[in-house]
């Protein structure tokens, strides 16, 4: 089975250097100063592909990322986890890209390469949209299942059996014909940690590099015109003082509200 | 200028509508003035006609019901095959549906067929002056920022996040209902089984829920959260998806859109960032306390009382304060 795992380099949400406001007066946002890492859902997607590879003979996993120079760190990690090949579509450009742009590049790369299965994460942690996978599927005219957490490839060549949590906590089991696109949600097999020996080898591995301009992408269709602060759903009252003072204030407030 | 053509799509599950579906009507009101729009519903599913009647009566918008045989299992792939030719015929400016897994499966295919944009997890819509173009709002970065998105005059398919477009019932004249039957297309996705939701009953009954997020750091620290919960009568322990997926808590204690929806009198969120998938399950709580070491965390936008602190330091102090006060009043 030939698989393509799409992996995004995302800002580390715990890094205090991560801007959470526009970084210029035009409302644009860039996070050059903050650390990045592999999108968590993509770790699950890659793990799912590695599990499929273990049960399907003659499998191969290509890991692909679209991003700036430093995004190649996620390909090194993917190779360290067990991917067979790394593809870096080099794309610079600030701001929040349209999912159609990213999906267009991935589809252009995948088009003539006959992947049986393309895996994406359920969403990127920074943009939280879950669109790139379904758009790749649409562009390649493949069926698509979103947010699956378990994939069973033992059923035979034709299809995959997938499980997912639907709305309201219900669980669905579905079968999808190959070739297909799935987006992977957390909750299945926990992603493996790359072994040090594999990481050392991965760092030597020659990546396939392609300039985004060299691929026939598609139009953006939509554009982020501004970023800003979200509306407050409730008016929060922050407690101040030392940790101990805050603890006593909170206890007193809860008591006053009759909650204890 | 021609009125905005808006299509709202609903699907039927076991003969019922998703209660959030009314918010699509509220979204349509935000997107265009009543005098200036042509809104119609599309309802898909088995035994959808009575549901179609509800939509027509309550919203006053025309309804097209696509009734399917019971054997047609609801999947996004099927919805996409059925909807594409109909939407192609209507050429809407805006297509709205709920941001559920099934509609996420088909939204891209619909957008591509209509030469439209697709904007996901939409939380707000407004019209820009003077261009009159629609601007869509959604949150990014774990809810810490919002992005405003334009399509440059292109039609848009949007998947709408529940909980952001409050709907008010009003008097309307019931609108017309059109019934359609369509030949059942072949589908490359088949529904094999649906399991019932499994939610810990204690979550529904609890007056106080103490919820643990990834910020508790390790399963060992769960003991702290448990001790905190024990300070409150009729309390229960819950977790974010990350905590439940990691096995720190049972899956049926997960709160959120793919877990339990809860509405306790008090909800204490410990080390939870406030992603909309979590918030969607606890918005109904009466009083929300959030404890997080990051003052920029989105959970503070959904909290009444905020404490910026490290849980490992703060929780023991809070437990002590609660226990001591209890002794003092006994
Ligand atoms: C399709 C789909 C469905 C989903 N459904 C759900 C759902 O039903 N429920 C759900 O919860 N999630 C759901 N999610 C996941 C959701 O998007 C978030 O990833 C998740 O809610 C984050 O969990 P968290 O807040 O515990 O962790 P994080 O987002 O990692 O946040 C951890 C927080 O802890 C704080 N912190 C860290 N250390 C400390 C410390 N020592 N002291 C104090 N604070 C600290 C950090 O500042 C941070 O704000 C879903 C996602 C998808 C894609
Ligand atoms: N720049 C990128 N490079 C590679 N894969 C990506 C990129 N952006 C998004 N993806 C994939 O698409 C998924 C969903 O992203 P999004 O649509 O941005 O929420 C991610 O989990 C990745 O698998």
């Amino acid at each position: 089975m030939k698989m393509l795992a799409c992996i995004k380099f995302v800002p580390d949400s715990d890094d205090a250097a991560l801007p959470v406001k526009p970084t210029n007066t035009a409302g644009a946002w860039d996070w050059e100063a903050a650390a990045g890492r592999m999108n968590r859902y993509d770790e699950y997607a890659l793990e799912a592909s590695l599990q499929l590879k273990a049960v399907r003979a003659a499998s191969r996993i290509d890991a692909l990322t679209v991003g700036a120079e430093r995004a190649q760190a996620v390909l090194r990690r993917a190779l360290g986890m067990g991917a067979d090949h790394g593809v870096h579509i080099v794309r610079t450009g600030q701001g929040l890209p349209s999912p159609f742009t990213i999906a267009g590049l991935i589809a252009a790369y995948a088009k003539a390469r006959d992947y049986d299965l393309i895996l994406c994460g359920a969403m990127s942690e920074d943009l939280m949209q879950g669109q790139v996978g379904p758009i790749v599927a649409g562009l390649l005219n493949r069926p698509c299942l979103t947010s699956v957490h378990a994939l069973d490839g033992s059923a035979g060549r034709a299809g995959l059996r997938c499980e997912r949590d639907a709305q309201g906590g219900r669980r669905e089991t579905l079968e999808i014909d190959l070739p297909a696109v799935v987006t992977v949600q957390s909750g299945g097999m926990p992603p493996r940690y790359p072994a040090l020996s594999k990481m050392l080898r991965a760092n030597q591995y020659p990546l396939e590099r392609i300039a985004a301009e060299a691929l026939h992408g598609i139009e953006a269709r939509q554009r982020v015109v501004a970023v800003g602060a979200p509306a407050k759903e409730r008016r929060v009252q922050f407690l101040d003082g030392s940790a101990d003072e805050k603890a006593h204030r909170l206890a007193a407030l809860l008591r006053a509200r009759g909650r204890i | 200028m021609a009125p905005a053509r808006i299509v709202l799509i609903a699907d039927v599950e076991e003969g019922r509508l998703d209660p959030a579906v009314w918010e699509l009507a509220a979204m349509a009101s935000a997107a265009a003035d009543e005098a200036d729009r042509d809104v119609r519903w599309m309802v898909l599913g088995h035994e959808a006609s009575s549901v179609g009647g509800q939509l027509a009566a309550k919203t006053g918008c025309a309804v097209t019901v696509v009734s399917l045989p019971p054997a047609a299992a609801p999947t996004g792939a099927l919805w996409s095959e059925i909807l594409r030719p109909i939407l192609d015929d209507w050429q809407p400016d805006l297509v709205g549906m709920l941001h559920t897994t099934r509609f996420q499966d088909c939204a891209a295919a619909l957008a591509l067929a209509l030469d439209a944009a697709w904007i996901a997890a939409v939380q707000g819509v407004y019209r820009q002056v003077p261009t009159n173009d629609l601007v869509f709002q959604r949150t990014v970065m774990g809810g810490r920022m919002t992005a405003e998105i334009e399509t440059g005059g292109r039609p848009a398919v949007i998947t709408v996040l529940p909980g952001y477009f409050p709907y008010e019932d009003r008097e309307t004249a019931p609108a017309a209902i059109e019934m359609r039957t369509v030949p059942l297309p072949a589908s490359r996705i088949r529904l094999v089984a649906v399991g019932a939701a499994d939610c810990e009953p204690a979550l529904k009954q609890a007056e106080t829920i103490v919820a643990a997020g990834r910020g508790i750091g390790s399963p060992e620290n769960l003991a702290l959260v448990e001790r905190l919960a024990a300070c409150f009568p009729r309390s229960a322990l819950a977790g974010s998806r990350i905590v439940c997926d990691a096995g720190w808590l049972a899956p049926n204690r997960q709160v959120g859109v793919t877990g339990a929806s809860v509405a306790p009198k008090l909800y204490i969120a410990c080390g939870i960032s406030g992603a909309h998938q979590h918030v969607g399950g606890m918005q109904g709580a009466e009083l929300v306390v959030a404890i997080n070491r990051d003052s920029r965390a989105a959970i503070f936008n959904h909290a009444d009382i905020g404490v910026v602190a490290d849980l490992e330091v703060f929780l023991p102090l809070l437990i002590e304060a609660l226990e001591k006060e209890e002794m003092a009043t006994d």
Side-chain angles (χ1 to χ4, degrees), chain B residues 173-235:
Chain B
I177 303 177
E178 177 206 5
M179 299 293 294
R180 282 205 194 189
T181 47
V182 294
L184 211 54
S187 175
R188 293 176 290 181
I189 293 175
R190 290 162 301 279
L191 188 62
V192 179
V194 184
D198 170 26
C199 164
E200 167 59 47
L203 287 184
K204 293 284 183 194
Q205 287 149 16
E207 286 187 359
T208 294
I209 292 180
V210 180
R214 187 178 61 88
I216 65 160
S218 69
E220 289 72 48
N221 286 341
L222 265 181
L224 278 177
V225 189
E226 265 165 34
R227 276 179 57 208
L228 177 60
C231 295
F232 300 91
R234 297 174 63 87
S235 63

Side-chain angles (χ1 to χ4, degrees), chain A residues 240-256:
Chain A
D240 46 30
S242 68
D244 196 39
E245 284 162 349
K246 284 191 259 198
H248 280 93
R249 287 201 178 121
L250 181 54
L253 269 171
L254 294 177
R255 179 163 297 277

Side-chain angles (χ1 to χ4, degrees), chain A residues 6-8 39 41-42 64-67 99 102 106 119-124 127-133:
Chain A
C6 302
I7 301 187
K8 184 173 177 183
N39 187 41
Y41 297 97
D42 303 350
L64 174 153
T65 196
V66 181
I102 304 300
I106 295 173
L119 303 101
C120 286
M123 64 177 193
S124 53
L127 300 186
M128 308 174 73
Q129 50 197 7
Q131 295 189 275
V132 168

Side-chain angles (χ1 to χ4, degrees), chain B residues 106 173 224 299:
Chain B
C106 69
L224 278 177
I299 191 72

Side-chain angles (χ1 to χ4, degrees), chain A residues 14 40-41 122-123 147 185, chain B residues 213-215 239-243 254-259 271-275 277-278 291-294 297 309-311:
Chain A
D14 284 348
R40 268 195 212 113
Y41 297 97
M123 64 177 193
S147 298
Q185 157 73 302
Chain B
R214 187 178 61 88
S240 71
R241 177 152 189 139
I242 293 197
V243 163
Q254 180 189 317
V255 166
V257 292
T258 50
I272 290 178
S273 61
Q277 293 95 346
H278 184 82
I291 308 164
N292 198 303
R293 69 170 174 204
D294 179 359
D310 190 310
L311 288 166

